[in-house]
Amino acid sequence: MIRIAVCKAALPNLASFSSALPRSLPRTALSLNLFARRGYAEAYNRTKPHMNIGTIGHVDHGKTTLTAAITKVLAESGGATFTGYDQIDKAPEEKARGITINSATSSTKLLRVTMVTLTVLDMLINMITGAAQMDGAIIVVSATDGQMPQTREHLLLARQVGIKKLVVFINKVDMISDPEMLELVDMEIRDLLSTYNFDGENTPIVMGSALAALDGRNDDIGSTKIKELVKACDEWLELPQRDLEKPFLLAVEDVFSISGRGTVATGRVERGTALKGTEVEILGLGDSIKTTLTGIEMFHKELDRAEAGDNMGALLRGVKREQIRRGQVIIEPGSMKAHKKFRAQVYILTKDEGGRYTPFMQGYRPQLFLRTADVTVTLNFAEGTPDAAEKMAMPGDNVELDCELYFDLALEVGSRFTLREANRTIGTGVVTKILE
Amino acid sequence: MFKLFTQSCAPRSLHRLYSTKTTVQLVAELRKLTNAPIIKARQALTETNNDFDAALKWLEKDLLASGLAKAEKIKDRTASEGLVSVSVLDGGFGSRIGSGVGPVKAAIIELNCESDFVSRTDEFSRLAADIAQTVAQMAGQQGSASNFTALDVASLLETPLKSGTIHSSIMDLIARIGENITLRRAALLAPTSAESKLRVGSYVHNAAPAFPTSGRVGVLSLLSLRSPRLSDLLKDDVFLTDTQKLERALARQTAGFLTRAIREKAHEEDDLETVLYQQPFAMLGGEKAGLPVRQVLDEWQKQWELEEFEVADFVRWEVGESQSK
């Protein structure tokens, strides 16, 4: 399944900075749970690849038209319900804009086109919290303008939110009669892609007219090109590794001692699968113990296998109750390491979002919550930040911070956490680099 | 149509077309220099028989015209992103910016665009910084009662900037970027005080490293001090360095907190934290960070035996705040 999110850069009345934020926050606060729950509910199509694609581009370059055109073209093969320009443009919420399409190129894939209205900050927040994570993007560029100064910012942002591969759609080619000019647009965009560490040489660039496709004319630049674009997304963009395929991880919520059986740790399986009898490692908070998973229990039933999304009790061989506690993780041995220092991208919540009303400077020490763990952390601006000693982070800011934990925790690039102070969530972040 | 045209034109330009650079290369070069839309760069070369220099001139002229046309078309689109930019021409008494003896001269402006993608481009940041600097160079009004003078944006647009005016520079950028860009507001700080010595501190939040004077929140804060031994203080490096540090912390404090007033609440319903002197001086750092701002200033005043050390006035602007939401 592929999901396309169209990012509208600050449209009038829809995306004023302040009105966009409160909408996005309830989502962010619940993101981890929502994600997992969704995974559970959609268990029936676990075998189908699911991908989120964002569409990024300048205000007038035709993102909405393109989205409408995709639904229209794919509707002809029965793979979608046609959704007009007005419907997409005026839909108030991201949810209301969701459209699911059967891609014609592959019977196993689905396209879910979602229209979102986001600013740079919103996209970063989504990346940080994991809500509406993008796995790939379509960059829309008008042939009449070519790339513009802000195209650089679009690519920079795509990099920053972790998008590794892009597909480019050069729109409005019917307005340019000279094929050499189109070659120039192609050449320039490939140059620019390479500058920002994308694969400029091999990135698919599709040239067409979204409007022609929408009007049902000039099939050679219209519907044919839309099909080509969808095919390029299918083939070029990479699917993320799914939770089930990742190494096993259970976050310990509680520990019990059951007489006659031994120590049982309960918690949710965040990812992967585990069979009864496999070797596991208990990691974090200063300890690392290797042991064997001798029993899996769910809803008072003994099971042989646990998988991502399950709430389970893990019976551990030869582990005393005092040796394991909340905040640690049970993992496939060696699949993760515990760290104390890391770099992170952090969003500081505003007062309206329940966060701080005052800024903070270097050396601030809130509590860091990661899975079930809760550890004091010292925050500093990322090494190399100019004038770090005089810099402040204000509510509403998105900042790069170097974090130093009081105890080590199992974490890796992409791990998400929240920062709290006096029972108030003041920030949310994602690990971008392990430092120690 | 273009082919017909080139076939009929003079041998010299034909020669130039085929022996030196192709049209595509010329278009590419024009775009590198001007960021003009591809369709315009191509048209410029057609209009000038592929004469690069002439095309460049044609393009510059056309960008202004097409900017005007574009601006008219998109003038109703909401532009609430952008930058607040400050420029300090003379930091006043003992400052390392300007003459070191005053008078204080500084400006603050807000330039808006539609998306924050555009506000992050170099082109937009440069224009914001240029406008702020131009405003700072304007003459202050004689005998003005207030320290800050809000300037009339419409007449400000006609102020010369580069080879044109502020207005033409904005139109030019609209043509290249294609978004509605507006100069929202501008204020000039050019105070006169007979009794006290004045200094200005500035802070800009979320500035890009290449453009340190433009960001999301901008503050100019005016400090006044009086002392019987001014000339000694002016020579005292410790005093000057520490004052500068304190002044920066004050500007940062004003920006970081939602500061609305100095001594008393500006409005009855405001929080106490909006009053600068009552705020804990968190942005000072160190052990005094928990004390109220005024108490820190009192101690400072005593330490250097000053007769007065006050925040006389300030301006705190945040991008988009002045527009109805």
Side-chain angles (χ1 to χ4, degrees):
Chain A
M1 221 164 85
I2 300 180
R3 205 170 111 196
I4 300 191
V6 178
C7 167
K8 294 231 75 171
L11 257 195
N13 357 337
L14 276 174
S16 95
F17 187 73
S18 59
S19 69
L21 263 185
R23 266 216 308 277
S24 66
L25 252 120
R27 254 195 354 245
T28 66
L30 286 167
S31 66
L32 280 175
N33 289 332
L34 274 179
F35 245 54
R37 213 178 294 146
R38 195 189 303 147
Y40 212 72
E42 288 178 9
Y44 60 90
N45 61 20
R46 264 177 175 167
T47 51
K48 278 181 187 167
H50 185 129
M51 181 183 270
N52 292 325
I53 304 172
T55 305
I56 310 176
H58 172 59
V59 190
D60 291 328
H61 283 188
K63 294 184 300 290
T64 310
T65 312
L66 179 63
T67 311
I70 291 174
T71 66
K72 160 125 191 190
V73 170
L74 292 181
E76 285 159 12
S77 58
T81 314
F82 172 55
T83 310
Y85 183 97
D86 281 354
Q87 278 166 279
I88 296 169
D89 207 37
K90 291 198 181 106
E93 298 272 343
E94 181 188 348
K95 217 180 228 172
R97 297 174 183 189
I99 308 147
T100 305
I101 314 165
N102 262 310
S103 156
T105 55
S106 152
S107 56
T108 55
K109 283 181 179 170
L110 290 169
L111 271 177
R112 191 148 136 235
V113 182
T114 311
M115 181 86 190
V116 264
T117 307
L118 293 176
T119 63
V120 176
L121 187 65
D122 285 334
M123 283 178 71
L124 284 169
I125 294 170
N126 279 344
M127 185 274 293
I128 290 166
T129 57
Q133 173 82 32
M134 284 188 198
D135 305 310
I138 302 172
I139 299 277
V140 186
V141 176
S142 155
T144 56
D145 286 344
Q147 65 186 54
M148 296 173 96
Q150 59 268 45
T151 312
R152 292 194 297 268
E153 300 303 319
H154 294 146
L155 294 183
L156 261 177
L157 179 78
R159 267 270 141 223
Q160 220 177 341
V161 299
I163 294 170
K164 294 187 182 70
K165 283 187 165 186
L166 301 168
V167 173
V168 180
F169 185 71
I170 311 274
N171 199 9
K172 308 185 189 179
V173 294
D174 48 342
M175 317 264 284
I176 298 280
S177 52
D178 186 347
E180 282 190 329
M181 287 304 121
L182 294 177
E183 277 168 37
L184 179 62
V185 177
D186 180 288
M187 201 178 73
E188 282 186 346
I189 196 95
R190 285 190 194 282
D191 263 7
L192 195 69
L193 285 168
S194 303
T195 311
Y196 290 99
N197 288 323
F198 289 101
D199 186 346
E201 208 176 310
N202 300 311
T203 296
I205 296 186
V206 180
M207 299 202 175
S209 162
L211 193 62
L214 197 59
D215 294 348
R217 58 177 164 87
N218 306 67
D219 280 356
D220 53 325
I221 55 164
S223 61
T224 312
K225 292 297 172 179
I226 298 294
K227 283 174 194 155
E228 200 179 303
L229 177 72
V230 174
K231 190 157 173 269
C233 289
D234 267 355
E235 291 172 359
W236 175 251
L237 301 178
E238 279 171 8
L239 287 164
Q241 204 184 17
R242 286 177 299 154
D243 283 350
L244 271 178
E245 291 160 358
K246 291 176 187 165
F248 179 75
L249 188 149
L250 174 135
V252 177
E253 275 169 25
D254 219 336
V255 183
F256 303 96
S257 189
I258 298 171
S259 59
R261 300 210 63 190
T263 303
V264 172
T266 63
R268 239 175 53 87
V269 181
E270 190 178 295
R271 63 192 196 191
T273 57
L275 297 172
K276 190 174 155 184
T278 49
E279 294 280 306
V280 290
E281 183 182 352
I282 302 165
L283 186 69
L285 303 173
D287 290 320
S288 165
I289 308 167
K290 291 231 170 72
T291 178
T292 306
L293 187 63
T294 49
I296 295 170
E297 191 168 302
M298 259 183 281
F299 308 112
H300 306 289
K301 283 199 189 90
E302 285 258 3
L303 293 171
D304 293 332
R305 182 175 177 276
E307 63 174 47
D310 291 343
N311 273 299
M312 65 173 273
L315 184 63
L316 301 160
R317 176 179 294 159
V319 176
K320 291 204 183 75
R321 195 184 186 285
E322 311 83 70
Q323 283 179 292
I324 178 166
R325 58 206 146 118
R326 182 185 169 93
Q328 291 183 311
V329 291
I330 299 175
I331 56 167
E332 183 184 313
S335 63
M336 272 186 108
K337 287 207 160 45
H339 302 277
K340 269 190 172 173
K341 276 189 85 170
F342 61 90
R343 183 160 298 166
Q345 197 74 39
V346 179
Y347 172 70
I348 313 298
L349 269 62
T350 63
K351 191 182 173 186
D352 292 342
E353 292 157 2
R356 289 169 64 96
Y357 61 89
T358 58
F360 63 83
M361 294 184 75
Q362 292 229 90
Y364 175 53
R365 299 181 54 166
Q367 292 295 110
L368 181 139
F369 285 71
L370 172 66
R371 302 190 194 93
T372 55
D374 163 14
V375 174
T376 305
V377 63
T378 307
L379 304 178
N380 285 304
F381 289 104
E383 210 181 306
T385 306
D387 298 319
E390 291 208 335
K391 204 174 145 69
M392 66 177 174
M394 277 173 72
D397 280 357
N398 164 66
V399 283
E400 197 177 31
L401 299 172
D402 283 353
C403 310
E404 189 168 0
L405 293 165
Y406 198 65
F407 292 111
D408 59 351
L409 288 178
L411 52 85
E412 60 196 358
V413 170
S415 294
R416 297 199 158 83
F417 59 86
T418 56
L419 298 171
R420 291 171 66 85
E421 173 200 70
N423 288 327
R424 185 160 57 166
T425 303
I426 59 114
T428 161
V430 60
V431 177
T432 55
K433 191 182 176 189
I434 303 294
L435 298 173
E436 234 175 66
Chain B
M1 182 213 153
F2 182 70
K3 275 186 186 128
L4 277 176
F5 185 73
T6 49
Q7 275 158 13
S8 64
C9 66
R12 196 186 141 270
S13 53
L14 258 182
H15 172 78
R16 196 175 161 153
L17 183 66
Y18 289 112
S19 75
T20 55
K21 282 178 177 161
T22 64
T23 312
V24 174
Q25 279 170 325
L26 289 173
V27 169
E29 268 178 45
L30 274 179
R31 287 200 11 104
K32 273 198 188 110
L33 282 174
T34 61
N35 272 322
I38 251 177
I39 209 164
K40 285 287 175 194
R42 178 69 152 85
Q43 197 186 346
L45 288 165
T46 311
E47 297 281 339
T48 57
N49 294 345
N50 276 16
D51 180 330
F52 187 78
D53 296 330
L56 195 60
K57 282 205 187 88
W58 186 93
L59 206 51
E60 270 163 15
K61 225 167 119 189
D62 184 75
L63 278 177
L64 182 60
S66 62
L68 280 168
K70 180 93 189 169
E72 182 59 30
K73 216 169 102 190
I74 60 181
K75 69 172 193 272
D76 293 330
R77 295 210 303 226
T78 314
S80 57
E81 294 289 339
L83 293 170
V84 170
S85 188
V86 303
S87 171
V88 177
L89 211 59
D90 199 314
F93 174 77
S95 167
R96 281 158 194 158
I97 307 167
S99 62
V101 288
V104 163
K105 199 78 188 298
I108 182 166
I109 64 120
E110 180 182 349
L111 188 66
N112 289 134
C113 57
E114 294 175 47
S115 73
D116 53 355
F117 288 102
V118 164
S119 69
R120 292 151 70 107
T121 59
D122 288 357
E123 288 80 357
F124 188 83
S125 306
R126 195 171 296 123
L127 179 61
D130 284 348
I131 294 175
Q133 204 180 355
T134 305
V135 174
Q137 280 159 349
M138 292 172 65
Q141 281 170 337
Q142 290 298 316
S144 169
S146 59
N147 298 310
F148 287 94
T149 317
L151 302 170
D152 175 45
V153 171
S155 50
L156 191 61
L157 287 175
E158 299 314 315
T159 311
L161 178 69
K162 299 269 168 66
S163 55
T165 61
I166 291 179
H167 182 250
S168 70
S169 299
I170 292 176
M171 291 307 126
D172 188 79
L173 194 61
I174 289 178
R176 290 165 216 252
I177 281 192
E179 277 195 10
N180 190 11
I181 297 171
T182 49
L183 180 60
R184 178 76 40 193
R185 49 182 171 168
L188 179 68
L189 173 64
T192 46
S193 168
E195 310 91 58
S196 308
K197 291 289 172 191
L198 298 173
R199 281 178 69 105
V200 63
S202 70
Y203 175 80
V204 170
H205 191 64
N206 273 1
F211 298 92
T213 58
S214 305
R216 185 162 69 88
V217 182
V219 161
L220 286 177
S221 67
L222 185 69
L223 307 184
S224 68
L225 56 96
R226 257 184 305 138
S227 163
R229 36 183 216 101
L230 276 175
S231 52
D232 294 342
L233 288 177
L234 207 48
K235 285 182 213 130
D236 192 331
D237 258 353
V238 179
F239 174 78
L240 293 180
T241 307
D242 284 6
T243 309
Q244 201 178 4
K245 223 186 231 169
L246 186 65
E247 168 186 280
R248 270 209 297 266
L250 277 169
R252 205 161 53 230
Q253 177 86 16
T254 310
F257 285 64
L258 291 169
T259 310
R260 293 205 183 93
I262 299 168
R263 291 170 197 83
E264 304 282 336
K265 284 190 212 177
H267 306 284
E268 195 56 40
E269 67 276 12
D270 280 356
D271 290 334
L272 206 58
E273 281 86 15
T274 62
V275 181
L276 179 66
Y277 279 179
Q278 317 263 4
Q279 295 163 2
F281 207 164
M283 294 302 109
L284 185 64
E287 57 201 47
K288 286 185 183 161
L291 300 177
V293 171
R294 185 60 240 180
Q295 195 178 328
V296 176
L297 297 189
D298 281 340
E299 287 175 17
W300 172 262
Q301 193 172 323
K302 216 166 130 192
Q303 183 191 339
W304 291 98
E305 294 168 8
L306 305 173
E307 289 168 358
E308 174 194 297
F309 191 76
E310 293 273 356
V311 176
D313 210 343
F314 75 92
V315 156
R316 180 194 189 276
W317 283 1
E318 206 168 326
V319 169
E321 69 182 350
S322 64
Q323 297 172 56
S324 54
K325 283 170 185 166

